């Protein structure tokens, strides 16, 4: 991780604002600024916390720590330095934070004032590009991305964990921190990472500095951040699991989390070893992914045998033991569930060195969920076919680009696969989502989420998707379309009037319900208007269609 020396290179924010990357002479001046701030805050009794990585999790985590309740002396307990690598892709986050502006978009109204309060009012938050900030730290919170890269769609076994960025960050940490500094890994990592990867890296760095007897103070506590209106609360007011590599680390991580989280109402769970904390996150997300994948086969069964699976699920959920049944919609999406089980499988074979194959359900669930969105496209095809049309000659409106309702997060959304498969089949697609401003996975598919790893690589005919704009006026998106896909359960889609929809499309259309957004009366009305309706798990629509066909049309 070398210093950047380029006066001409800039980092562009999502709004297009350009920020010149730091030059060689900027680093010394920046460290002087940080040291002056750290000295002043340390004199006031505050510990210095460096949050490494100010992305989706790290930016808000930095704000929460900077906003921690007063200690016994009535003072803010921490001064926080958010640290981000000065790359063309990410450097803009630093000037954003330093002017009190959140570098992440969120539906939670608390995010923006949280960051502004830390920077401008409490003055307990700043941001930097220099790794020399680690020299000042009492605590380092690591929020560096750890990904799982799949070589094929629907085959998680043919992939690997990408921990290179984390390993490089740990090397930098080991070269700079004081031996007493607590290093808290908050990233979701393969089980064993803290003990089998982080410890040897930091220990070796200490020895190279002549600190042979120093033991790294490492801990793990995974985040449970959820996008949406409870973004901040999912950090500050939610249950946490933690562990330390030794007794000192456990004591320090418990003290730190107790100072920033409402442990009175959301008590900490302290496990013996980091591998247990790491496994906890993987099992937690694998369990959820598995119960979602379980319903995929029953969804297809229901579609083919006249069953409304949603009514079946509601009938089952009256039993308290089955109250957590969740219909998966067109895939599960989000950053965690599509990959976390793969981290566990990879760790077992790679970090632990076992050669046998003990995992069956975990990878299968990921594979099922990864390809479920393709079923929605099959329903589009079948509905259009029933109307005498083909996908390749049709214009399709996708309502909902994000991976879950009422948020603007498009990471690994099922909607992305729907659009890509429709493009492969020759359809023209228009997109509407009230929460999404830019669909980066399409717009920057050559480089997002990283070069060579866009979902575009699994499909043909993807070039035109770079030009797709997300509409925010429904009438514009629906005008002249042949099919409407209700892909996400956003509030504005919950009670769309069939007459109004057909009025906006200007003609009868194929309607595909991916999330039980249509009740039976609405389905019936669509058929009366000459539309075709299909839905994931909604096999009973054929009965409604036959009933409408047997009576005179309603005006």
């Amino acid at each position: 991780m070398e210093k950047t020396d380029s006066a001409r290179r800039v980092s562009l924010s999502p709004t297009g604002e350009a920020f010149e990357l730091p030059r060689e002479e900027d680093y010394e001046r920046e460290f002087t600024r940080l040291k002056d701030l750290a000295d002043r805050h340390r004199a006031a009794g505050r510990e210095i916390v460096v949050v490494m990585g100010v992305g989706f999790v790290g930016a808000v985590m930095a704000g929460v720590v900077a906003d921690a309740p007063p200690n016994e002396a009535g003072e803010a307990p921490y001064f926080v330095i958010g640290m981000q690598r000065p790359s063309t892709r990410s450097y803009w986050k630093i000037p954003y934070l330093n002017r009190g502006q959140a570098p992440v978009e969120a539906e939670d109204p608390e995010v923006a004032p949280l960051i502004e309060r830390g920077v401008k009012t409490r003055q307990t938050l700043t941001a930097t590009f220099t790794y020399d900030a680690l020299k000042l730290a009492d605590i380092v919170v690591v929020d560096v991305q750890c990904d799982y890269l799949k070589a094929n769609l629907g085959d998680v076994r043919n992939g690997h964990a990408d921990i290179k960025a984390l390993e490089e960050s740990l090397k930098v940490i080991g070269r700079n921190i004081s031996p007493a500094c607590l290093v808290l890994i908050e990233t979701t990592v393969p089980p064993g990472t803290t003990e089998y990867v982080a410890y040897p890296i930091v220990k070796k760095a200490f020895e190279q500095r002549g600190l042979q007897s120093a033991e790294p103070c490492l801990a793990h506590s995974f985040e449970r951040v959820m996008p949406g209106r409870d973004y901040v609360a999912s950090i500050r007011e939610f249950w946490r699991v933690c562990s330390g590599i030794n007794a000192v680390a456990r004591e320090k991580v418990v003290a730190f989390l107790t100072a920033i989280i409402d442990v009175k109402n959301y008590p900490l769970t302290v496990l013996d070893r980091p591998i247990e904390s790491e496994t906890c996150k993987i099992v937690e997300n694998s369990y959820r992914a598995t119960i979602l994948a379980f319903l995929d086969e029953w969804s297809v069964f229901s579609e083919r045998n006249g069953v409304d699976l949603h009514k079946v699920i509601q009938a089952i959920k009256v039993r308290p033991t089955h109250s957590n049944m969740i219909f998966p919609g067109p895939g599960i999406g989000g950053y965690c569930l599509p990959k976390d089980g793969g981290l566990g499988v990879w760790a077992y074979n790679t970090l632990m060195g076992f050669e046998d194959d003990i995992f069956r359900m975990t990878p299968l669930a990921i594979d099922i969920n990864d390809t479920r969105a393709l079923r929605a496209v099959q329903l589009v095809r079948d509905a259009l076919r029933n109307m005498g049309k083909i996908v390749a000659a049709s214009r399709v409106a996708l309502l909902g680009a994000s991976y879950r309702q009422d948020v603007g997060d498009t990471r690994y959304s099922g909607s992305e696969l729907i659009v890509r498969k429709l493009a492969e089949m020759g359809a023209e697609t228009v997109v509407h989502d009230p929460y999404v401003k830019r669909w980066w996975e399409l717009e920057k598919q050559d480089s997002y989420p990283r070069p060579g790893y866009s979902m575009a690589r699994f499909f043909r005919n993807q070039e035109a998707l770079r030009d797709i704009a997300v509409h925010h006026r429904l009438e514009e998106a629906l005008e002249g379309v042949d099919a409407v896909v209700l892909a996400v359960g956003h509030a504005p889609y919950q009670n769309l009037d069939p007459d109004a929809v057909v009025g906006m499309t200007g003609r009868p259309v194929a309607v595909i319900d991916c999330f039980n957004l249509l009740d039976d009366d609405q389905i019936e009305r669509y058929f009366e208007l000459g539309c075709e309706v299909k839905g994931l798990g909604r096999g009973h629509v054929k009965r409604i269609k036959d009933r409408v066909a047997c009576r005179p049309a309603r005006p």
Side-chain angles (χ1 to χ4, degrees):
M1 296 189 181
E2 298 176 353
K3 298 178 180 179
T4 303
D5 184 16
S6 175
R8 291 179 297 276
R9 296 178 66 202
V10 298
S11 176
L12 293 177
S13 74
T15 62
E17 188 175 359
F19 297 94
E20 186 178 296
L21 267 62
R23 292 170 290 188
E24 186 73 26
E25 59 268 25
D26 295 328
Y27 283 81
E28 184 176 350
R29 182 167 54 249
E30 174 68 1
F31 181 67
T32 299
R33 179 184 77 89
L34 295 175
K35 189 174 185 308
D36 289 345
L37 286 170
D39 289 345
R40 188 163 72 246
H41 284 281
R42 207 184 297 279
R46 299 186 183 102
E47 288 190 291
I48 311 303
V49 178
V50 173
V51 177
M52 199 169 191
V54 288
F56 182 78
V57 175
V60 180
M61 180 64 175
V64 167
V65 178
D67 201 53
N71 55 24
E72 294 179 355
E75 295 285 343
Y78 301 113
F79 173 64
V80 182
I81 303 171
M83 188 174 64
Q84 183 68 43
R85 186 169 64 93
S87 66
T88 54
R89 179 173 174 176
S90 301
Y91 173 71
W92 61 270
K93 297 174 185 178
I94 302 304
Y96 260 49
L97 278 169
N98 282 333
R99 65 191 186 194
Q101 184 175 349
V104 292
E105 292 187 0
E107 289 74 31
D108 187 348
E110 176 59 19
V111 170
L114 175 78
I115 299 299
E116 185 176 24
R117 187 164 59 243
V119 174
K120 295 183 177 180
T121 306
R122 302 189 78 182
Q123 297 183 354
T124 51
L125 175 61
T126 192
T128 189
F129 52 84
T130 176
Y131 296 112
D132 287 341
L134 293 165
K135 295 179 170 68
L136 308 171
D138 299 296
I139 299 167
V140 175
V141 179
V142 181
D143 281 315
V144 176
Q145 183 168 297
C146 175
D147 212 340
Y148 188 88
L149 305 179
K150 304 170 187 175
N152 301 300
L153 185 64
D155 183 10
V156 71
R157 292 181 186 275
N158 190 10
H160 67 278
D162 182 9
I163 63 172
K164 183 178 180 180
L166 179 62
E167 290 175 312
E168 292 301 316
S169 297
L170 290 165
K171 291 175 184 176
V172 174
I173 289 169
R175 290 197 296 264
N176 286 280
I177 61 169
S178 70
C181 177
L182 170 67
V183 178
L184 169 58
I185 298 173
E186 197 172 41
T187 305
T188 300
V189 295
T193 296
T194 303
E195 296 170 63
Y196 300 165
V197 178
Y199 177 83
I201 288 175
V202 178
K203 178 66 174 174
K204 182 178 180 180
F206 281 179
E207 291 172 350
Q208 290 173 341
R209 293 165 56 189
L211 304 171
Q212 274 74 17
S213 62
E215 281 296 308
C217 188
L218 300 173
H220 181 264
S221 179
F222 59 88
E223 48 81 16
R224 283 170 166 153
V225 174
M226 286 294 292
R229 298 190 66 83
D230 296 322
Y231 193 166
V232 174
S234 68
I235 295 178
R236 187 158 54 194
E237 295 158 356
F238 210 71
W239 294 272
R240 275 280 190 140
V241 177
C242 66
S243 57
I245 204 163
N246 52 40
V248 173
R250 278 194 297 275
E251 182 180 337
K252 286 189 175 185
V253 73
V254 168
F256 175 61
L257 293 175
T258 299
I260 64 171
I261 294 171
D262 180 9
V263 295
K264 180 179 179 181
N265 294 305
Y266 303 93
L268 291 174
T269 298
V270 184
L271 298 178
D272 292 338
R273 294 177 57 194
I275 193 173
E276 293 173 325
S277 172
E278 294 159 346
T279 301
C280 185
K281 177 64 179 287
I282 302 304
V283 172
E284 178 177 303
N285 281 346
S286 296
Y287 167 74
R288 189 171 178 86
T290 301
I291 62 172
L292 286 162
F294 164 74
L295 286 174
D296 174 74
E297 58 197 36
W298 288 106
S299 177
V300 177
F301 172 90
S302 298
E303 293 159 24
R304 294 176 177 173
N305 292 282
V307 175
D308 186 350
L309 183 59
H310 295 277
K311 294 190 181 86
V312 171
I313 291 172
Q314 292 306 312
I316 294 170
K317 289 176 71 171
V318 298
R319 292 187 60 177
T321 54
H322 291 62
S323 61
N324 65 343
M325 291 186 76
I326 308 171
F327 186 75
I332 56 174
Y335 183 66
C336 296
L337 267 62
K339 70 171 177 63
D340 283 1
L343 296 176
V345 176
W346 180 87
Y348 181 75
N349 296 131
T350 304
L351 296 185
M352 288 82 173
F354 292 98
E355 296 183 1
D356 58 332
D357 185 8
I358 63 171
F359 290 100
R360 296 188 298 275
M361 295 179 65
T362 296
L364 179 60
I366 294 174
D367 293 346
I368 290 170
N369 291 329
D370 275 358
T371 56
R372 177 163 170 77
L374 303 181
R375 176 64 183 162
V377 179
Q378 293 171 4
L379 296 184
V380 175
R381 176 201 62 198
D382 294 347
L384 285 170
R385 183 180 293 165
N386 288 351
M387 299 180 75
K389 300 180 180 181
I390 61 173
V391 172
S394 296
R395 181 178 170 90
V396 181
L398 181 88
L399 304 192
S402 65
Y403 84 89
R404 65 187 288 259
Q405 66 184 57
D406 299 330
V407 303
D409 192 339
T410 58
R411 293 177 298 172
Y412 300 101
S413 72
S415 295
E416 182 183 350
L417 260 67
I418 293 175
V419 170
R420 293 197 180 283
K421 184 61 180 179
L422 286 171
E424 181 174 74
M425 296 175 70
E428 177 189 357
T429 305
V430 291
V431 178
H432 177 276
D433 194 301
Y435 303 99
V436 176
K437 295 179 181 178
R438 308 277 289 274
W439 200 346
W440 298 114
E441 285 84 355
L442 302 186
E443 188 175 326
K444 295 189 174 183
Q445 62 185 17
D446 291 335
S447 60
Y448 194 92
R450 64 176 66 192
Y453 281 94
S454 166
M455 288 288 185
R457 72 191 191 277
F458 299 130
F459 302 91
R460 61 175 288 275
N461 199 30
Q462 300 295 294
E463 293 77 14
L465 295 182
R466 297 188 188 92
D467 299 324
I468 281 188
V470 180
H471 291 271
H472 295 120
R473 293 183 61 206
L474 192 57
E475 58 271 26
E476 289 180 355
L478 293 182
E479 183 179 0
V481 302
D482 301 287
V484 177
V485 181
L486 298 165
V488 185
H490 291 326
Y493 305 152
Q494 295 284 346
N495 293 293
L496 287 176
D497 177 62
D499 290 85
V501 170
V502 174
M504 287 184 275
T505 62
R507 55 185 169 186
V509 292
V511 180
I512 291 79
D513 182 5
C514 296
F515 257 117
N516 192 34
L517 295 176
L518 303 178
D519 61 30
D520 288 359
D521 290 339
Q522 290 170 310
I523 294 171
E524 182 173 317
R525 184 55 181 157
Y526 274 118
F527 281 126
E528 290 173 345
L529 292 167
C531 298
E532 182 69 20
V533 180
K534 291 190 177 292
L536 292 174
R538 312 210 71 188
H540 75 303
V541 296
K542 179 67 165 57
R543 293 200 303 273
I544 299 174
K545 181 180 181 179
D546 291 344
R547 187 167 68 236
V548 171
C550 290
R551 66 166 187 259
R554 204 171 85 194

